[in-house]
Amino acid sequence: QQQVKQSPQSLIVQKGGISIINCAYENTAFDYFPWYQQFPGKGPALLIAIRPDVSEKKEGRFTISFNKSAKQFSLHIMDSQPGDSATYFCAASENSGAGSYQLTFGKGTKLSVIP
Amino acid sequence: EAGVAQSPRYKIIEKRQSVAFWCNPISGHATLYWYQQILGQGPKLLIQFQNNGVVDDSQLPKDRFSAERLKGVDSTLKIQPAKLEDSAVYLCASSLSVNLATNEKLFFGSGTQLSVL
């Protein structure tokens, strides 16, 4: 059962354009929504994260938009650069009990930014 | 600051053989995680340690996978015997969180790429 659905699977964007990646979830117990960036041969690295009491969070060129009623959240990369070419994962976190918070990842979006 | 160290970087084995992966977390990080990342998918949690105790191993295939974290620092993940479907990248991650209130600030290692032939 895929708890976090991510789309698109791949994305090609021109340099300077806006990259948009979407995620949807069903589990209303999720209370934290991070995005991770992964370059080939490297582990994922935290990019930006949001909590459900906020509808938008911006850090530099990266913005998360969160729609609690629709159970959807998205990552927007403004002024996309070739260096942004990587795989992006959305994730969601819930307390699985005994103080353990688990991250559930989406399947990832491979972003290619072409010059 | 040194990151999460993992070794080996690559491993190729035949099915039914055994294999072990090693992880050294960021100094001072109490919580350590092992994730499995199959090609084209997101990481999936296998086991979570708090110091040297297991917090969550519900998704660990315990008939063939085992993990330990002696002295609350380094950790090893073992597969015995390996199956073809175990081919994946095995990622170790650590976090500073002691009270487990949140695990959002995970720091991942570069992983061990396992190929089972």
Side-chain angles (χ1 to χ4, degrees):
Chain A
Q1 182 184 4
Q2 186 182 353
Q3 293 199 57
V4 180
K5 293 184 179 180
Q6 184 172 348
S7 63
Q9 187 173 352
S10 63
L11 181 62
I12 299 175
V13 174
Q14 288 270 350
K15 177 183 176 180
I18 302 173
S19 304
I20 301 174
I21 305 170
N22 301 298
C23 283
Y25 65 97
E26 290 295 327
N27 186 352
T28 55
F30 287 144
D31 59 2
Y32 188 77
F33 302 88
W35 284 88
Y36 281 81
Q37 179 188 54
Q38 185 175 31
F39 293 104
K42 300 293 185 183
L46 179 66
L47 189 62
I48 187 173
I50 197 168
R51 294 198 180 275
D53 53 348
V54 177
S55 61
E56 185 175 284
K57 183 174 182 180
K58 183 177 181 180
E59 291 184 1
R61 297 184 293 109
F62 301 92
T63 300
I64 300 179
S65 297
F66 186 83
N67 186 329
K68 188 174 182 179
S69 60
K71 291 185 283 187
Q72 295 175 348
F73 58 110
S74 60
L75 175 69
H76 295 235
I77 305 175
M78 311 299 289
D79 187 26
S80 299
Q81 299 296 313
D84 297 331
S85 297
T87 299
Y88 292 81
F89 294 94
C90 62
S93 174
E94 64 169 318
N95 186 342
S96 61
S100 171
Y101 278 73
Q102 278 198 23
L103 272 180
T104 299
F105 285 85
K107 289 193 171 184
T109 297
K110 186 175 181 180
L111 172 66
S112 299
V113 181
I114 55 177
Chain B
E1 178 182 83
V4 176
Q6 289 189 247
S7 66
R9 190 70 181 87
Y10 304 94
K11 191 73 177 179
I12 300 174
I13 63 173
E14 295 189 350
K15 60 183 179 181
R16 291 188 290 273
Q17 286 187 325
S18 63
V19 63
F21 313 124
W22 173 83
C23 173
N24 179 241
I26 293 174
S27 178
H29 280 196
T31 313
L32 184 147
Y33 313 77
W34 283 102
Y35 282 84
Q36 179 193 56
Q37 186 175 20
I38 293 173
L39 185 64
Q41 297 186 20
K44 184 186 85 171
L45 179 68
L46 292 176
I47 188 167
Q48 176 184 348
F49 291 94
Q50 176 67 13
N51 296 311
N52 61 349
V54 175
V55 174
D56 189 334
D57 64 356
S58 58
Q59 299 191 81
L60 187 72
K62 298 179 186 62
D63 57 334
R64 299 183 300 105
F65 286 65
S66 64
E68 61 181 7
R69 190 184 185 195
L70 299 177
K71 301 181 181 179
V73 181
D74 293 3
S75 177
T76 56
L77 176 69
K78 297 179 182 178
I79 307 175
Q80 183 180 11
K83 293 185 175 181
L84 296 177
E85 58 261 35
D86 297 333
S87 294
V89 175
Y90 290 85
L91 295 163
C92 179
S94 69
S95 64
L96 184 60
S97 174
V98 175
N99 59 14
L100 299 181
T102 178
N103 69 348
E104 70 269 26
K105 289 196 178 295
L106 288 185
F107 294 86
F108 283 88
S110 293
T112 296
Q113 185 172 331
L114 174 66
S115 296
V116 182
L117 307 178

